[in-house]
Amino acid sequence: MPMNTGFTARYRVPRGKGGSGRVHGSPRRLPTVVIGAGPYGLATAAWLSAAGTERRVFGEPMECWSANMPDGMFLKSVPAASSVSAPEAGYRLEDFRTARGHGPVGDRYPVPVEEMIAYGRWFQERRVPEVERRRVRSIGRADGLFGVTLDSGEEFLAGRVVMATGLVPFAHEPPELTGLPAELVSHTSRHHDLGRFSGQRIAVLGAGQSALESAALLHEAGAFPTVIARARSVAFGTPPDTDRPSDRPRPVRVLKPGSPLGPGWSLLACARGGGVIRHLPQDVRLRMLRSVLGPSGGWWLRERVEDRVPVLCGRGVRSAVAEDGGVRLEIEAVGDGRRTETLRADHLLLATGYRVDVDRLTLLAPELRREVETFHGAPRLSSGFESSVPGLFFTGLAAAPTFGPVLRFVAGTGFAARRLAGAVAAGSRERP
Ligand SMILES: Cc1cc2nc3c(=O)[nH]c(=O)nc-3n(C[C@H](O)[C@H](O)[C@H](O)COP(=O)(O)OP(=O)(O)OC[C@H]3O[C@@H](n4cnc5c(N)ncnc54)[C@H](O)[C@@H]3O)c2cc1C
């Protein structure tokens, strides 16, 4: 049974938005609240507005990209796969470049993060001007509706809530390495200026893009990084032969068709088949999420890492203790815990990725979190991205365990926003 938290008693429907009396419990008369103004929140808002859905959108536009990713980073996704979806033409990354007087670019152009941030803000100003740059403090249940409290203290009722709060709440820190003070160990998502580590010895844990790019940027900023990777070797992508997939010879295109996730039939299936992936057994979906586009560095990183940054492959960190103002790491060979070595560093940087866990979304009241049915921490979602709590939607990374790897990338915004906005407009209730 939904709980009455007192919200319905306290709040009135604003005049002109469904009446002036007390709430009578119709979610359709109340705004849909989108929490998040990153690519997924912005795309969702754009598609909701096209569907004529009353909405309020909260968040700092492109905050994760400007505050939780390193300055000087390049996108691993190609320009053609880095556009935020809108129902109308004219809002793609290439349109932004044209508006700024820049020419077209293809697959061999790594997009600088600064360009992506500027593009996202340009998109927001033109397509989602209603964004309120405020933080939502909490979401509670209120007679089948949602009570929303902002940091400013404002409280209001919402008929539906879309969680587009992104990756940062899901930053994964191995529990055995988190007992140290923040000046000795931190997750990559806590940094945008790696230059602060200049002159320091930094142990970087991980083998993916984030680890390898952080190591390159640290090295270029005058720090002394060492990468520690469980993988037997670190992998880098291969530079695209041509700027446009359509310029590749026909046999190559048949064998490896282009897709927003990269060339190949399996990547094409992941990029286009989110609706089908949802029907696969959950173990298969979770395995796909781990293995498709597994850890590797972008092709342009190879020359910035190889022969410049020491990489200790096939090793894991067993323990980390504070010592002499730095950190002493006990490193063991993967599969042979007897082979150990010691590494001393000034800081341990965890490039250990992100794991979806609804319990980490403390923005949602505990009783609401308990109501969300999950599998391995991820919310069960309907084909319209609705959770087991009617009216509560999840998009972006939180939806990747359901719809597959494309939801980890900006390229998934079209699939997600179109479906989600359609489900909200239809007011349909389908079991997740
Ligand atoms: C290092 C790194 C590199 C990446 N490179 C690429 C790449 O090359 N290509 C690619 O496609 N993807 C890349 N990604 C993934 C990409 O970041 C995500 O796909 C994308 O940002 C997800 O968008 P989002 O809108 O879900 O979340 P985010 O971009 O994380 O946005 C979250 C939004 O939620 C808001 N928010 C959070 N909490 C609150 C609150 N309480 N109240 C109000 N607002 C709130 C924030 O202000 C922000 O606006 C990369 C990720 C990382 C970490």
Side-chain angles (χ1 to χ4, degrees):
M1 280 291 284
M3 287 195 309
N4 185 343
T5 60
F7 264 101
T8 44
R10 287 208 299 272
Y11 294 94
R12 288 167 185 274
V13 180
R15 272 178 204 284
K17 294 190 178 166
S20 59
R22 291 201 180 283
V23 171
H24 294 295
S26 168
R28 278 173 171 270
R29 291 165 167 248
L30 292 165
T32 293
V33 163
V34 179
I35 311 175
Y40 277 87
L42 293 174
T44 305
W47 282 85
L48 286 174
S49 84
T53 303
E54 187 77 43
R55 69 212 164 275
R56 288 184 73 176
V57 186
F58 297 96
E60 188 55 39
M62 302 302 279
E63 182 179 25
C64 169
W65 297 77
S66 57
N68 306 101
M69 296 187 198
D71 281 348
M73 169 190 126
F74 289 93
L75 269 63
K76 205 171 157 193
S77 58
V78 297
S82 303
S83 290
V84 182
S85 171
E88 317 82 5
Y91 298 99
R92 295 183 60 79
L93 177 63
E94 68 206 48
D95 300 311
F96 163 74
R97 287 185 56 84
T98 305
R100 292 281 161 104
H102 301 307
V105 283
D107 289 1
R108 287 184 290 200
Y109 174 78
V111 181
V113 70
E114 293 76 16
E115 183 173 334
M116 185 65 192
I117 295 166
Y119 159 61
R121 290 179 180 157
W122 175 89
F123 181 102
Q124 179 267 313
E125 283 159 18
R126 276 152 193 79
R127 192 57 193 79
V128 198
E130 68 270 27
V131 168
E132 299 176 53
R133 302 178 109 156
R134 294 197 273 165
R135 289 198 83 73
V136 177
R137 187 190 297 158
S138 68
I139 305 286
R141 278 293 247 169
D143 280 350
L145 304 171
F146 299 94
V148 181
T149 305
L150 304 183
D151 259 4
S152 60
E154 185 193 344
E155 295 178 306
F156 64 95
L157 280 171
R160 297 184 175 86
V161 168
V162 180
M163 295 293 288
T165 46
L167 328 172
V168 178
F170 301 134
H172 172 65
E173 304 185 355
E176 65 277 17
L177 302 177
T178 51
L180 294 171
E183 62 271 19
L184 295 182
V185 59
S186 58
H187 191 271
T188 45
S189 63
R190 304 238 175 131
H191 303 282
H192 73 277
D193 174 20
L194 292 173
R196 61 171 279 229
F197 292 116
S198 178
Q200 296 186 26
R201 299 161 302 165
I202 310 297
V204 181
L205 188 58
Q209 171 74 4
S210 186
L212 298 170
E213 190 154 39
S214 298
L217 290 165
L218 284 163
H219 171 73
E220 289 153 13
F224 304 97
T226 300
V227 174
I228 304 164
R230 295 185 71 79
R232 262 185 278 166
S233 62
V234 291
F236 294 93
T238 40
D241 307 330
T242 60
D243 256 334
R244 287 185 307 164
S246 55
D247 292 341
R248 281 159 212 159
R250 199 175 137 72
V252 175
R253 277 185 281 137
V254 170
L255 277 176
K256 288 197 156 209
S259 91
L261 296 180
W265 285 102
S266 58
L267 293 180
L268 183 65
C270 288
R272 298 263 173 85
V276 176
I277 290 173
R278 179 172 162 267
H279 295 291
L280 297 175
Q282 69 187 36
D283 289 350
V284 176
R285 278 182 273 143
L286 292 171
R287 219 175 309 128
M288 273 175 87
L289 215 50
R290 280 194 300 271
S291 58
V292 174
L293 293 172
S296 72
W299 57 267
W300 70 93
L301 271 178
R302 184 187 289 274
E303 63 183 27
R304 292 168 58 194
V305 173
E306 277 184 356
D307 302 325
R308 288 166 197 258
V309 176
V311 180
L312 307 177
C313 289
R315 323 279 225 291
V317 175
R318 181 192 282 177
S319 66
V321 292
E323 185 181 272
D324 299 334
V327 53
R328 177 166 55 82
L329 304 173
E330 288 304 320
I331 298 176
E332 64 184 16
V334 172
D336 183 359
R338 288 165 308 171
R339 279 176 43 217
T340 61
E341 56 201 302
T342 301
L343 180 78
R344 288 185 173 75
D346 298 303
H347 192 91
L348 171 61
L349 189 61
L350 302 172
T352 38
Y354 298 83
R355 289 195 190 163
V356 178
D357 181 357
V358 170
D359 251 347
R360 303 279 287 273
L361 300 175
T362 50
L363 177 65
L364 297 173
E367 66 272 13
L368 196 49
R369 265 180 276 147
R370 274 196 297 274
E371 266 189 70
V372 178
E373 282 176 27
T374 58
F375 61 103
H376 294 272
R380 281 188 199 287
L381 300 176
S382 71
S383 62
F385 288 69
E386 193 171 13
S387 71
S388 56
V389 175
L392 181 63
F393 295 76
F394 291 84
T395 189
L397 184 65
T402 301
F403 295 100
V406 74
L407 273 289
R408 285 166 44 202
F409 301 97
V410 178
T413 54
F415 169 77
R418 193 180 302 118
R419 281 198 170 214
L420 199 161
V424 168
S428 67
R429 270 298 297 139
E430 172 207 332
R431 288 287 303 160

